[in-house]
């Protein structure tokens, strides 16, 4: 018994014409050109819910599209284009450009061409004259583009070298970590070196280490070996200019020579080429063997190099102090920090010293040298012409008569904000400010730390009184008081540092705060009935008086 299909069930339930019985699947066969394909039976309305699409019949307005699109050529072509036959079936692909959207013509090296017709419109034929013009213009644009890219690549390469060396580009400011390097140093301010000077000091340390290693094992230290080692240690570019700067700062550190026949074991350097050799200068004792560049020598040379750098900054600092109004003079042995307005990171670079250069062949550069060499080989007329040229060159190269001296610059006018203020008052203010800056520059580190504590005392006194009020005790141990103060103060201070503040507070105000030593503990006793505003005013006055000294 055949099993009923689900579609038959819905067909019986559905109102309307009765569904047709299931039709057999037609056998699909490959159509033969001799026999036409059998017609597909039309579907009945009951067999599917989709409406049957009526077959497309060709009409007179819309003829049936042909199986293959024919190539239609214009009647007339441009004068420069070859005349093609009307058949179009024997045309090659390189001569015509198909009009279909997917078709592309081939036109010379540029890969693009212009289509032209009889009236100059694009129709499908490639014009040789237009393609040659387009190709020439494209070649010119590509050449110009290549030149721009080459110049851009050279600029990027030079900027990368300057970046590796830590130098800013021309017309560009240095990075902030270099321009404000002195302000970002930890600890109390002192004689801080500029960023570029510190980089040079690090280069000297690395160079001294590598040269010492080569010197101790009796190996000739060349610039190529030292350069590679320094760059590996610092991750910065190291050039001959930096070696010249090191020689300027510390002339007695190395001996530089140009030598040949130095084994390099490299393919790019010949044994007969001149190379810059570096030899450390050491003090050799009488009757002793060749000295070694030990760690103590390295440390001593590094200290001497750092002192020389500081001395160079001192020279610029002295010039800055002399340019102030009024000028200032600070003893060198008392100088502990730079002037507040002296920008350390704007100190000019160190001029590199001249290094030995390999001997070069003699070249004739002037007419006098040519005349001296070839006097016997030339005619009298040529000799006279060269003599006149030498005289004219000497006259043009001679310095002219000195002009009149430029007039002296007028004194700087006071700013508009100070207009109407008496000069005596301005001079007194400037003199007082200079004295304050002089005291600040010659202040010792211990005095600096004491002043910092004095500045914190007013707020610490307020915090300490609040702790005593909340505890409701007449006295507290030093440990408890310092721990509570360290937890309540806005800055992070250790209990040991807080104890020094409490001792200073008892030293300055013994009638308000007193310390009592009982057995192994120290107790802090505070007068809570005293006026806090008066105590803070006394502390501020003491801090100002100490800072003015």
């Amino acid at each position: 018994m055949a099993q009923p299909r689900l579609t038959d069930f819905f067909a019986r339930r559905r109102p309307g014409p009765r569904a047709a019985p299931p039709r057999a699947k037609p056998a699909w066969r490959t159509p033969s050109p001799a026999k036409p394909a059998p017609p597909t039976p039309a579907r009945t309305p009951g067999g599917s819910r989709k409406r049957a699409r009526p077959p497309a019949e060709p009409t007179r307005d819309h003829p049936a599209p042909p199986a293959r699109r024919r190539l239609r050529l214009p009647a007339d072509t441009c004068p420069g284009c070859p005349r093609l036959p009307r058949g179009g079936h024997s045309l090659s692909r390189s001569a015509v450009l198909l009009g279909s959207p997917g078709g592309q013509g081939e036109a010379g090296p540029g890969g693009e061409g212009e289509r032209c017709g009889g009236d100059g419109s694009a129709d499908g034929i490639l014009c040789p004259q237009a393609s040659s013009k387009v190709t020439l213009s494209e070649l010119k644009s590509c050449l110009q583009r290549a030149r721009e890219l080459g110049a851009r690549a050279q600029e990027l390469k030079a900027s990368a070298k300057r970046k590796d060396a830590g130098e800013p580009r021309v017309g560009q400011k240095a990075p902030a970590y270099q321009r404000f390097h002195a302000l970002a140093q930890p600890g109390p301010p002192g004689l801080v070196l500029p960023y570029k000077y510190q980089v040079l000091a690090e280069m000297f340390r690395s160079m001294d280490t590598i040269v010492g290693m080569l010197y101790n094992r009796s190996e000739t230290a060349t610039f190529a070996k030292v350069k590679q080692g320094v760059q590996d240690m610092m991750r910065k570019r190291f050039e001959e200019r930096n070696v010249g700067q090191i020689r300027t700062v510390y002339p007695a550190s190395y001996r530089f020579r140009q030598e040949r026949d130095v084994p390099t074991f490299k393919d790019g350097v010949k044994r007969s080429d001149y190379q810059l050799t570096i030899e450390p200068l050491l003090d050799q004792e009488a009757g002793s063997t060749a000295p070694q560049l030990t760690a103590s020598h390295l440390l001593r040379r590094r200290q001497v190099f750092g002192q020389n750098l500081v001395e160079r900054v001192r020279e610029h600092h002295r010039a800055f102090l002399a340019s102030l109004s009024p000028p200032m003079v600070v003893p060198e042995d008392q100088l502990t920090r730079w002037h507040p307005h002296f920008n350390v990171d704007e100190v000019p670079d160190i001029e590199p010293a001249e290094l030995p250069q390999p001997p070069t062949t003699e070249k004739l550069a002037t007419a006098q040298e040519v005349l001296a060499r070839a006097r016997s080989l030339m005619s009298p007329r040529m000799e006279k012409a060269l003599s006149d040229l030498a005289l004219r060159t000497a006259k043009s190269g001679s310095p002219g008569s000195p002009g009149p001296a430029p007039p002296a610059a007028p004194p700087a006018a006071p700013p508009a904000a100070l207009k109407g203020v008496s000069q005596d008052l301005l001079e007194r203010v400037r003199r007082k400010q200079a004295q304050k800056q002089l005291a600040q520059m010659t202040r010792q580190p211990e005095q600096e730390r004491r002043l910092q504590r004095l500045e914190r005392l007013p707020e610490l006194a307020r915090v300490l009184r609040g702790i005593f009020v909340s505890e409701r005790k007449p006295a507290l141990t030093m440990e408890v008081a310092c721990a509570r103060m360290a937890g309540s103060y806005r800055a992070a201070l250790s209990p040991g540092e807080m104890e020094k503040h409490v001792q200073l507070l008892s030293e300055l105000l013994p009638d308000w705060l007193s310390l009592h030593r009982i057995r192994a503990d120290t107790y802090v006793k505070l007068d809570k009935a005293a006026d806090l505003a008066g105590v803070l005013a006394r502390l501020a006055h003491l801090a100002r008086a100490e800072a003015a000294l």
Side-chain angles (χ1 to χ4, degrees):
M1 181 178 178
Q3 185 177 0
R5 295 178 59 182
L6 186 63
T7 54
D8 298 341
F9 172 76
F10 282 107
R12 294 192 193 99
R13 286 294 207 180
R14 190 174 175 183
R18 186 178 182 84
R23 53 187 177 83
K25 180 182 290 187
W28 299 101
R29 298 178 182 178
T30 304
S32 175
K35 298 180 181 181
T40 305
R43 297 180 180 179
T44 59
S48 174
R49 299 181 64 181
K50 294 184 179 180
R51 293 183 299 173
R53 179 178 297 179
E57 297 180 359
T59 58
R60 185 174 300 177
D61 297 338
H62 301 281
R68 180 176 296 176
R69 182 173 296 180
R70 296 181 179 179
L71 179 66
R72 299 182 180 181
L73 301 178
D76 300 328
T77 59
C78 64
C81 300
R83 189 172 297 278
L84 303 175
R86 288 190 177 276
H89 300 287
S90 61
L91 295 176
S92 63
R93 187 179 180 186
S94 61
V96 297
L97 192 66
L98 296 179
S100 61
Q104 294 180 356
E106 301 176 2
E112 297 180 0
E114 293 184 4
R115 303 173 184 176
C116 63
D119 54 352
S121 61
D123 195 2
I125 301 179
L126 192 66
C127 180
Q129 293 181 356
S131 65
S132 63
K133 293 179 182 179
V134 171
T135 303
L136 183 59
S137 63
E138 288 179 355
L139 288 177
K140 289 182 179 180
S141 63
C142 289
L143 182 59
Q144 181 68 19
R145 180 64 177 168
R147 290 174 181 172
E148 294 177 358
L149 291 177
R152 178 63 176 167
Q154 294 292 337
E155 182 181 356
L156 291 176
K157 187 176 180 181
S159 64
K161 289 183 178 180
R162 286 191 293 266
K163 183 179 179 181
D164 293 341
E167 301 175 1
R169 291 190 297 177
V170 179
Q172 181 183 9
K173 293 194 302 183
Y177 72 91
Q178 295 183 13
R179 288 186 284 118
F180 307 107
H181 173 263
L183 301 178
Q185 294 304 305
L191 300 180
V192 184
L193 289 175
Y195 175 79
K196 46 195 171 185
Y197 283 20
Q198 290 194 1
V199 172
L200 189 63
E202 189 67 18
M203 286 182 177
F204 175 77
R205 185 189 67 83
S206 304
M207 178 180 174
D208 219 24
T209 303
I210 296 170
V211 171
M213 292 171 56
L214 298 176
Y215 179 78
N216 291 340
R217 61 190 184 198
S218 301
E219 183 178 348
T220 305
T222 61
F223 173 72
K225 299 177 184 178
V226 174
K227 176 182 178 180
Q228 186 63 36
V230 173
Q231 291 183 161
D232 292 342
M233 292 178 65
M234 296 192 58
R235 304 298 180 185
K236 291 182 179 293
R237 189 173 295 275
F238 185 70
E239 302 292 346
E240 288 190 11
R241 178 176 179 273
N242 305 120
V243 180
Q245 290 178 335
I246 291 174
R247 188 177 186 182
T248 302
V249 176
Y250 194 0
S253 57
Y254 300 105
R255 180 186 292 113
F256 300 94
R257 287 177 293 191
Q258 287 286 345
E259 298 181 7
R260 288 193 299 181
D261 299 331
V262 179
T264 56
F265 307 104
K266 290 186 178 181
D267 298 335
V269 181
K270 299 181 181 179
R271 192 182 182 93
S272 59
D273 294 344
Y274 282 94
Q275 297 188 60
L276 181 64
T277 60
I278 306 171
E279 180 184 355
L281 296 177
L282 301 175
D283 297 333
Q284 184 175 1
E285 299 178 359
S288 62
T289 59
Q292 296 286 317
L293 195 58
T294 59
S296 60
H297 286 91
L298 294 177
L299 182 59
R300 191 182 309 115
R301 289 160 63 91
R302 183 181 178 185
Q303 291 175 354
V304 172
F305 190 84
Q307 292 173 2
N308 293 347
L309 288 177
V310 173
E311 185 59 33
R312 286 189 166 269
V313 182
R314 283 177 186 268
E315 295 177 1
H316 295 285
H317 186 252
R318 283 195 294 267
F320 173 78
L321 295 180
S323 64
L324 296 177
S325 177
M328 300 176 59
V329 178
V330 183
E332 295 297 333
D333 55 344
Q334 299 180 9
L335 184 65
T336 58
R337 66 174 64 184
W338 308 120
H339 192 275
H341 298 162
F342 177 65
N343 195 341
V344 184
D345 294 303
E346 288 187 359
V347 173
D349 292 345
I350 298 174
E351 292 296 331
E354 185 178 357
L355 298 176
Q357 300 296 328
T360 56
T361 57
E362 189 178 358
K363 296 182 180 180
L364 303 178
T366 62
Q368 292 181 354
E369 296 178 359
V370 174
L371 181 61
R373 281 297 185 89
R375 187 179 296 274
S376 60
L377 303 178
M378 61 182 62
S379 60
R381 294 181 60 186
M382 185 178 296
E383 183 178 354
K384 183 180 179 182
L386 287 175
S387 301
D388 296 341
L389 179 60
L391 291 176
R392 287 197 301 269
T393 305
K395 289 181 180 179
S396 61
S398 61
S401 58
L418 301 178
K419 191 174 182 180
V421 182
S422 63
Q423 293 295 328
D424 296 338
L425 178 60
L426 291 178
E427 290 297 330
R428 287 198 301 271
V429 170
R430 289 169 181 166
R431 194 179 304 110
K432 188 175 181 180
Q433 185 178 8
Q435 292 176 359
K436 183 178 179 181
Q437 293 172 352
L438 179 61
Q440 186 178 3
M441 286 187 291
T442 57
R443 190 175 297 147
Q444 297 299 324
E446 294 80 8
Q447 298 177 356
E448 183 67 26
R449 287 192 289 268
R450 180 180 173 87
L451 284 178
Q452 292 179 356
R453 292 173 187 149
L454 285 173
E455 293 176 357
R456 300 192 192 107
L457 284 185
E459 187 172 356
L460 287 176
R462 185 184 297 107
V463 171
L464 184 59
R465 187 180 183 279
I467 293 173
F468 269 89
V469 171
S470 62
E471 290 291 337
R472 297 181 181 179
K473 293 181 180 180
L476 294 174
T477 60
M478 180 68 77
E479 296 180 0
V480 173
C482 292
R484 298 289 178 84
M485 291 174 66
S488 303
Y489 190 57
R490 58 181 179 178
L493 293 177
S494 63
E497 185 68 20
M498 196 63 70
E499 184 176 352
K500 295 179 181 178
H501 287 79
V502 174
Q503 292 176 357
L504 181 60
L505 194 59
S506 65
E507 177 185 346
L508 297 177
L509 301 176
D511 55 341
W512 184 68
L513 182 69
S514 59
L515 302 180
H516 302 275
R517 183 78 176 176
I518 301 176
R519 295 181 183 177
D521 295 333
T522 302
Y523 288 86
V524 181
K525 189 174 181 181
L526 185 139
D527 185 8
K528 293 185 288 184
D531 184 17
L532 182 61
V535 172
L536 299 182
R538 289 169 59 187
L539 290 174
H541 177 71
L542 291 173
R544 287 194 300 267
E546 188 112 3
L549 295 178

